[in-house]
Short mmCIF file of all heavy atoms in Angstrom, two decimals:
data_model
loop_
_atom_site.label_atom_id
_atom_site.label_comp_id
_atom_site.label_asym_id
_atom_site.label_seq_id
_atom_site.Cartn_x
_atom_site.Cartn_y
_atom_site.Cartn_z
N ILE Q 1 -52.84 -40.44 -68.53
CA ILE Q 1 -53.97 -40.70 -69.41
C ILE Q 1 -54.11 -39.51 -70.36
O ILE Q 1 -53.94 -38.36 -69.96
CB ILE Q 1 -55.27 -40.96 -68.62
CG1 ILE Q 1 -56.39 -41.41 -69.56
CG2 ILE Q 1 -55.68 -39.74 -67.81
CD1 ILE Q 1 -57.63 -41.92 -68.82
N SER Q 2 -54.42 -39.79 -71.60
CA SER Q 2 -54.56 -38.73 -72.59
C SER Q 2 -55.51 -39.19 -73.69
O SER Q 2 -55.88 -40.36 -73.76
CB SER Q 2 -53.20 -38.36 -73.19
OG SER Q 2 -52.62 -39.46 -73.86
N LYS Q 3 -55.92 -38.26 -74.51
CA LYS Q 3 -56.77 -38.57 -75.65
C LYS Q 3 -56.14 -38.09 -76.93
O LYS Q 3 -55.39 -37.11 -76.95
CB LYS Q 3 -58.16 -37.93 -75.49
CG LYS Q 3 -58.16 -36.41 -75.48
CD LYS Q 3 -59.57 -35.84 -75.31
CE LYS Q 3 -60.42 -36.10 -76.53
NZ LYS Q 3 -59.99 -35.32 -77.71
N HIS Q 4 -56.42 -38.80 -78.01
CA HIS Q 4 -55.93 -38.38 -79.31
C HIS Q 4 -56.66 -37.13 -79.75
O HIS Q 4 -57.85 -36.95 -79.48
CB HIS Q 4 -56.12 -39.50 -80.33
CG HIS Q 4 -55.34 -39.33 -81.58
ND1 HIS Q 4 -55.78 -38.56 -82.63
CD2 HIS Q 4 -54.13 -39.82 -81.96
CE1 HIS Q 4 -54.88 -38.59 -83.60
NE2 HIS Q 4 -53.88 -39.34 -83.21
N ILE Q 5 -55.96 -36.25 -80.44
CA ILE Q 5 -56.53 -34.96 -80.81
C ILE Q 5 -57.67 -35.10 -81.82
O ILE Q 5 -58.60 -34.28 -81.83
CB ILE Q 5 -55.43 -34.02 -81.34
CG1 ILE Q 5 -55.97 -32.59 -81.49
CG2 ILE Q 5 -54.85 -34.52 -82.65
CD1 ILE Q 5 -54.88 -31.57 -81.74
N THR Q 6 -57.65 -36.13 -82.65
CA THR Q 6 -58.66 -36.26 -83.70
C THR Q 6 -59.46 -37.55 -83.66
O THR Q 6 -60.63 -37.56 -84.05
CB THR Q 6 -58.02 -36.14 -85.09
OG1 THR Q 6 -56.99 -37.12 -85.24
CG2 THR Q 6 -57.42 -34.75 -85.29
N SER Q 7 -58.88 -38.63 -83.22
CA SER Q 7 -59.57 -39.91 -83.23
C SER Q 7 -60.20 -40.22 -81.88
O SER Q 7 -59.85 -39.62 -80.86
CB SER Q 7 -58.63 -41.04 -83.62
OG SER Q 7 -57.62 -41.22 -82.65
N ASN Q 8 -61.14 -41.14 -81.86
CA ASN Q 8 -61.82 -41.53 -80.63
C ASN Q 8 -61.00 -42.58 -79.89
O ASN Q 8 -61.41 -43.73 -79.75
CB ASN Q 8 -63.21 -42.05 -80.95
CG ASN Q 8 -64.13 -40.98 -81.48
OD1 ASN Q 8 -63.82 -39.80 -81.44
ND2 ASN Q 8 -65.28 -41.39 -82.00
N THR Q 9 -59.86 -42.15 -79.41
CA THR Q 9 -58.92 -43.04 -78.76
C THR Q 9 -58.37 -42.40 -77.50
O THR Q 9 -58.02 -41.22 -77.50
CB THR Q 9 -57.76 -43.40 -79.70
OG1 THR Q 9 -58.27 -43.97 -80.91
CG2 THR Q 9 -56.81 -44.39 -79.05
N VAL Q 10 -58.30 -43.17 -76.43
CA VAL Q 10 -57.71 -42.75 -75.17
C VAL Q 10 -56.52 -43.65 -74.89
O VAL Q 10 -56.56 -44.85 -75.17
CB VAL Q 10 -58.73 -42.80 -74.02
CG1 VAL Q 10 -58.06 -42.58 -72.67
CG2 VAL Q 10 -59.81 -41.75 -74.23
N TYR Q 11 -55.46 -43.07 -74.32
CA TYR Q 11 -54.24 -43.80 -74.05
C TYR Q 11 -53.93 -43.82 -72.56
O TYR Q 11 -54.35 -42.93 -71.81
CB TYR Q 11 -53.06 -43.15 -74.78
CG TYR Q 11 -53.26 -42.99 -76.26
CD1 TYR Q 11 -53.67 -41.78 -76.79
CD2 TYR Q 11 -53.04 -44.05 -77.12
CE1 TYR Q 11 -53.85 -41.63 -78.15
CE2 TYR Q 11 -53.23 -43.91 -78.48
CZ TYR Q 11 -53.63 -42.70 -78.99
OH TYR Q 11 -53.81 -42.56 -80.35
N LEU Q 12 -53.21 -44.83 -72.15
CA LEU Q 12 -52.65 -44.87 -70.81
C LEU Q 12 -51.16 -45.16 -70.96
O LEU Q 12 -50.77 -46.28 -71.28
CB LEU Q 12 -53.32 -45.93 -69.94
CG LEU Q 12 -52.84 -45.98 -68.49
CD1 LEU Q 12 -53.27 -44.71 -67.74
CD2 LEU Q 12 -53.37 -47.21 -67.78
N GLN Q 13 -50.35 -44.14 -70.74
CA GLN Q 13 -48.90 -44.30 -70.77
C GLN Q 13 -48.44 -44.71 -69.38
O GLN Q 13 -48.68 -43.99 -68.41
CB GLN Q 13 -48.22 -43.01 -71.21
CG GLN Q 13 -46.71 -43.11 -71.29
CD GLN Q 13 -46.06 -41.82 -71.72
OE1 GLN Q 13 -46.57 -41.12 -72.59
NE2 GLN Q 13 -44.94 -41.49 -71.11
N MET Q 14 -47.78 -45.84 -69.29
CA MET Q 14 -47.40 -46.43 -68.02
C MET Q 14 -45.88 -46.49 -67.96
O MET Q 14 -45.24 -47.16 -68.76
CB MET Q 14 -47.99 -47.84 -67.89
CG MET Q 14 -49.48 -47.89 -68.18
SD MET Q 14 -50.10 -49.57 -68.50
CE MET Q 14 -49.90 -50.31 -66.90
N ASN Q 15 -45.30 -45.78 -67.00
CA ASN Q 15 -43.86 -45.75 -66.80
C ASN Q 15 -43.51 -46.31 -65.43
O ASN Q 15 -44.35 -46.38 -64.54
CB ASN Q 15 -43.33 -44.32 -66.92
CG ASN Q 15 -43.55 -43.71 -68.28
OD1 ASN Q 15 -43.46 -44.38 -69.30
ND2 ASN Q 15 -43.84 -42.41 -68.31
N SER Q 16 -42.24 -46.67 -65.26
CA SER Q 16 -41.75 -47.19 -63.99
C SER Q 16 -42.65 -48.29 -63.44
O SER Q 16 -43.05 -48.28 -62.28
CB SER Q 16 -41.61 -46.05 -62.97
OG SER Q 16 -40.74 -45.04 -63.44
N LEU Q 17 -42.95 -49.24 -64.28
CA LEU Q 17 -43.89 -50.29 -63.91
C LEU Q 17 -43.36 -51.16 -62.78
O LEU Q 17 -42.16 -51.45 -62.70
CB LEU Q 17 -44.22 -51.14 -65.13
CG LEU Q 17 -45.18 -50.48 -66.12
CD1 LEU Q 17 -45.14 -51.18 -67.46
CD2 LEU Q 17 -46.60 -50.50 -65.55
N LYS Q 18 -44.27 -51.57 -61.91
CA LYS Q 18 -43.98 -52.41 -60.76
C LYS Q 18 -44.75 -53.71 -60.89
O LYS Q 18 -45.75 -53.79 -61.60
CB LYS Q 18 -44.38 -51.70 -59.47
CG LYS Q 18 -43.81 -50.31 -59.29
CD LYS Q 18 -44.41 -49.64 -58.06
CE LYS Q 18 -43.89 -48.23 -57.88
NZ LYS Q 18 -44.50 -47.57 -56.70
N SER Q 19 -44.31 -54.73 -60.16
CA SER Q 19 -44.99 -56.01 -60.20
C SER Q 19 -46.44 -55.89 -59.77
O SER Q 19 -47.31 -56.61 -60.30
CB SER Q 19 -44.26 -57.04 -59.34
OG SER Q 19 -44.21 -56.63 -57.99
N GLU Q 20 -46.73 -54.98 -58.85
CA GLU Q 20 -48.10 -54.81 -58.40
C GLU Q 20 -49.01 -54.14 -59.42
O GLU Q 20 -50.22 -54.03 -59.21
CB GLU Q 20 -48.15 -54.03 -57.07
CG GLU Q 20 -47.40 -52.71 -57.11
CD GLU Q 20 -46.01 -52.81 -56.51
OE1 GLU Q 20 -45.30 -53.79 -56.81
OE2 GLU Q 20 -45.63 -51.90 -55.74
N ASP Q 21 -48.44 -53.69 -60.53
CA ASP Q 21 -49.24 -53.17 -61.63
C ASP Q 21 -49.81 -54.29 -62.50
O ASP Q 21 -50.62 -54.02 -63.40
CB ASP Q 21 -48.43 -52.22 -62.50
CG ASP Q 21 -48.00 -50.97 -61.77
OD1 ASP Q 21 -48.80 -50.41 -61.00
OD2 ASP Q 21 -46.84 -50.53 -61.97
N THR Q 22 -49.38 -55.51 -62.27
CA THR Q 22 -49.88 -56.64 -63.04
C THR Q 22 -51.38 -56.81 -62.84
O THR Q 22 -51.86 -56.91 -61.71
CB THR Q 22 -49.15 -57.92 -62.63
OG1 THR Q 22 -47.77 -57.82 -62.99
CG2 THR Q 22 -49.74 -59.14 -63.34
N ALA Q 23 -52.12 -56.81 -63.93
CA ALA Q 23 -53.58 -56.91 -63.86
C ALA Q 23 -54.13 -56.93 -65.28
O ALA Q 23 -53.42 -56.65 -66.24
CB ALA Q 23 -54.17 -55.73 -63.09
N VAL Q 24 -55.41 -57.24 -65.38
CA VAL Q 24 -56.14 -56.97 -66.60
C VAL Q 24 -56.60 -55.52 -66.54
O VAL Q 24 -57.23 -55.11 -65.57
CB VAL Q 24 -57.34 -57.91 -66.77
CG1 VAL Q 24 -58.14 -57.54 -68.02
CG2 VAL Q 24 -56.88 -59.36 -66.85
N TYR Q 25 -56.27 -54.77 -67.56
CA TYR Q 25 -56.64 -53.36 -67.61
C TYR Q 25 -57.86 -53.19 -68.51
O TYR Q 25 -57.89 -53.68 -69.64
CB TYR Q 25 -55.47 -52.52 -68.14
CG TYR Q 25 -54.42 -52.29 -67.09
CD1 TYR Q 25 -53.61 -53.33 -66.65
CD2 TYR Q 25 -54.24 -51.03 -66.52
CE1 TYR Q 25 -52.66 -53.13 -65.67
CE2 TYR Q 25 -53.29 -50.82 -65.54
CZ TYR Q 25 -52.50 -51.87 -65.12
OH TYR Q 25 -51.55 -51.67 -64.14
N TYR Q 26 -58.86 -52.50 -67.98
CA TYR Q 26 -60.12 -52.29 -68.68
C TYR Q 26 -60.33 -50.81 -68.97
O TYR Q 26 -60.08 -49.96 -68.11
CB TYR Q 26 -61.30 -52.78 -67.83
CG TYR Q 26 -61.31 -54.26 -67.56
CD1 TYR Q 26 -60.69 -54.77 -66.43
CD2 TYR Q 26 -61.95 -55.14 -68.42
CE1 TYR Q 26 -60.71 -56.13 -66.16
CE2 TYR Q 26 -61.98 -56.49 -68.16
CZ TYR Q 26 -61.36 -56.98 -67.03
OH TYR Q 26 -61.38 -58.33 -66.77
N CYS Q 27 -60.81 -50.53 -70.14
CA CYS Q 27 -61.28 -49.20 -70.49
C CYS Q 27 -62.77 -49.12 -70.21
O CYS Q 27 -63.51 -50.08 -70.46
CB CYS Q 27 -60.98 -48.92 -71.96
SG CYS Q 27 -61.44 -47.28 -72.53
N ALA Q 28 -63.22 -47.98 -69.69
CA ALA Q 28 -64.63 -47.80 -69.36
C ALA Q 28 -65.08 -46.40 -69.75
O ALA Q 28 -64.27 -45.47 -69.86
CB ALA Q 28 -64.85 -48.01 -67.86
N ALA Q 29 -66.38 -46.24 -69.97
CA ALA Q 29 -66.95 -44.96 -70.34
C ALA Q 29 -68.30 -44.76 -69.66
O ALA Q 29 -69.01 -45.73 -69.37
CB ALA Q 29 -67.10 -44.85 -71.85
N ARG Q 30 -68.63 -43.51 -69.43
CA ARG Q 30 -69.89 -43.13 -68.83
C ARG Q 30 -70.23 -41.71 -69.27
O ARG Q 30 -69.37 -41.01 -69.81
CB ARG Q 30 -69.83 -43.22 -67.30
CG ARG Q 30 -68.77 -42.33 -66.66
CD ARG Q 30 -69.12 -42.03 -65.22
NE ARG Q 30 -70.28 -41.15 -65.14
CZ ARG Q 30 -71.25 -41.22 -64.24
NH1 ARG Q 30 -71.22 -42.15 -63.31
NH2 ARG Q 30 -72.25 -40.37 -64.28
N PRO Q 31 -71.46 -41.23 -69.03
CA PRO Q 31 -71.76 -39.83 -69.31
C PRO Q 31 -70.82 -38.89 -68.58
O PRO Q 31 -70.15 -39.27 -67.61
CB PRO Q 31 -73.20 -39.68 -68.82
CG PRO Q 31 -73.78 -41.04 -69.00
CD PRO Q 31 -72.67 -41.98 -68.65
N ASN Q 32 -70.80 -37.67 -68.99
CA ASN Q 32 -69.71 -36.72 -68.80
C ASN Q 32 -69.21 -36.53 -67.37
O ASN Q 32 -68.04 -36.20 -67.18
CB ASN Q 32 -70.11 -35.36 -69.37
CG ASN Q 32 -68.93 -34.53 -69.78
OD1 ASN Q 32 -67.96 -35.03 -70.34
ND2 ASN Q 32 -69.00 -33.23 -69.50
N ILE Q 33 -70.06 -36.71 -66.37
CA ILE Q 33 -69.64 -36.50 -64.99
C ILE Q 33 -68.63 -37.56 -64.59
O ILE Q 33 -68.92 -38.76 -64.65
CB ILE Q 33 -70.85 -36.53 -64.04
CG1 ILE Q 33 -71.85 -35.43 -64.41
CG2 ILE Q 33 -70.39 -36.37 -62.60
CD1 ILE Q 33 -73.13 -35.49 -63.62
N PRO Q 34 -67.42 -37.15 -64.18
CA PRO Q 34 -66.39 -38.14 -63.87
C PRO Q 34 -66.53 -38.70 -62.46
O PRO Q 34 -66.84 -37.98 -61.51
CB PRO Q 34 -65.10 -37.33 -64.01
CG PRO Q 34 -65.49 -35.93 -63.64
CD PRO Q 34 -66.91 -35.76 -64.13
N THR Q 35 -66.27 -39.98 -62.32
CA THR Q 35 -66.21 -40.64 -61.03
C THR Q 35 -65.06 -41.63 -61.07
O THR Q 35 -64.44 -41.86 -62.11
CB THR Q 35 -67.50 -41.38 -60.67
OG1 THR Q 35 -67.59 -42.59 -61.43
CG2 THR Q 35 -68.73 -40.52 -60.94
N THR Q 36 -64.78 -42.25 -59.90
CA THR Q 36 -63.74 -43.26 -59.81
C THR Q 36 -64.30 -44.61 -59.40
O THR Q 36 -63.54 -45.51 -59.05
CB THR Q 36 -62.65 -42.83 -58.82
OG1 THR Q 36 -63.23 -42.63 -57.52
CG2 THR Q 36 -62.00 -41.52 -59.26
N SER Q 37 -65.61 -44.77 -59.45
CA SER Q 37 -66.25 -46.00 -59.03
C SER Q 37 -66.62 -46.85 -60.24
O SER Q 37 -67.32 -46.38 -61.14
CB SER Q 37 -67.51 -45.71 -58.21
OG SER Q 37 -67.18 -44.99 -57.03
N ALA Q 38 -66.20 -48.09 -60.24
CA ALA Q 38 -66.48 -48.97 -61.36
C ALA Q 38 -67.97 -49.14 -61.59
O ALA Q 38 -68.42 -49.25 -62.74
CB ALA Q 38 -65.82 -50.33 -61.13
N SER Q 39 -68.76 -49.12 -60.52
CA SER Q 39 -70.19 -49.31 -60.65
C SER Q 39 -70.88 -48.16 -61.38
O SER Q 39 -72.02 -48.32 -61.83
CB SER Q 39 -70.83 -49.50 -59.27
OG SER Q 39 -70.62 -48.36 -58.45
N ASP Q 40 -70.22 -47.02 -61.51
CA ASP Q 40 -70.80 -45.87 -62.20
C ASP Q 40 -70.61 -45.94 -63.70
O ASP Q 40 -71.21 -45.14 -64.43
CB ASP Q 40 -70.18 -44.57 -61.68
CG ASP Q 40 -70.56 -44.26 -60.25
OD1 ASP Q 40 -71.63 -44.71 -59.79
OD2 ASP Q 40 -69.78 -43.55 -59.58
N PHE Q 41 -69.78 -46.84 -64.17
CA PHE Q 41 -69.48 -46.93 -65.60
C PHE Q 41 -70.29 -48.05 -66.23
O PHE Q 41 -70.29 -49.18 -65.75
CB PHE Q 41 -67.98 -47.17 -65.81
CG PHE Q 41 -67.14 -45.97 -65.53
CD1 PHE Q 41 -66.84 -45.61 -64.22
CD2 PHE Q 41 -66.66 -45.18 -66.56
CE1 PHE Q 41 -66.08 -44.49 -63.95
CE2 PHE Q 41 -65.89 -44.06 -66.31
CZ PHE Q 41 -65.60 -43.71 -64.99
N GLY Q 42 -70.97 -47.71 -67.31
CA GLY Q 42 -71.86 -48.66 -67.96
C GLY Q 42 -71.31 -49.32 -69.20
O GLY Q 42 -71.87 -50.31 -69.67
N SER Q 43 -70.23 -48.80 -69.75
CA SER Q 43 -69.63 -49.35 -70.96
C SER Q 43 -68.21 -49.79 -70.64
O SER Q 43 -67.43 -49.04 -70.06
CB SER Q 43 -69.61 -48.31 -72.08
OG SER Q 43 -70.92 -47.93 -72.44
N TRP Q 44 -67.88 -51.01 -71.04
CA TRP Q 44 -66.59 -51.61 -70.72
C TRP Q 44 -66.01 -52.33 -71.92
O TRP Q 44 -66.74 -52.95 -72.70
CB TRP Q 44 -66.72 -52.62 -69.58
CG TRP Q 44 -67.08 -52.00 -68.28
CD1 TRP Q 44 -68.33 -51.75 -67.80
CD2 TRP Q 44 -66.16 -51.55 -67.28
NE1 TRP Q 44 -68.25 -51.17 -66.56
CE2 TRP Q 44 -66.95 -51.04 -66.21
CE3 TRP Q 44 -64.78 -51.53 -67.18
CZ2 TRP Q 44 -66.36 -50.51 -65.06
CZ3 TRP Q 44 -64.20 -51.01 -66.03
CH2 TRP Q 44 -65.00 -50.51 -64.99
N GLY Q 45 -64.70 -52.25 -72.06
CA GLY Q 45 -64.00 -53.12 -72.98
C GLY Q 45 -63.79 -54.48 -72.38
O GLY Q 45 -64.11 -54.73 -71.21
N LYS Q 46 -63.24 -55.39 -73.16
CA LYS Q 46 -63.03 -56.75 -72.68
C LYS Q 46 -61.76 -56.91 -71.87
O LYS Q 46 -61.56 -57.94 -71.23
CB LYS Q 46 -63.00 -57.73 -73.86
CG LYS Q 46 -61.83 -57.52 -74.81
CD LYS Q 46 -61.87 -58.52 -75.95
CE LYS Q 46 -60.70 -58.33 -76.88
NZ LYS Q 46 -60.74 -59.29 -78.02
N GLY Q 47 -60.89 -55.91 -71.88
CA GLY Q 47 -59.68 -55.94 -71.08
C GLY Q 47 -58.45 -56.35 -71.87
O GLY Q 47 -58.54 -57.04 -72.88
#
């Protein structure tokens, strides 16, 4: 995962993909404190 140096864009570079990686991938955002729980994120993309 990385961010663009100037634009408001975050990337997910995915290598060595496996069949179990198949899914809808969603981007999410929350205030600065990081967590790994979906319930903590209040802003979501459509996937």
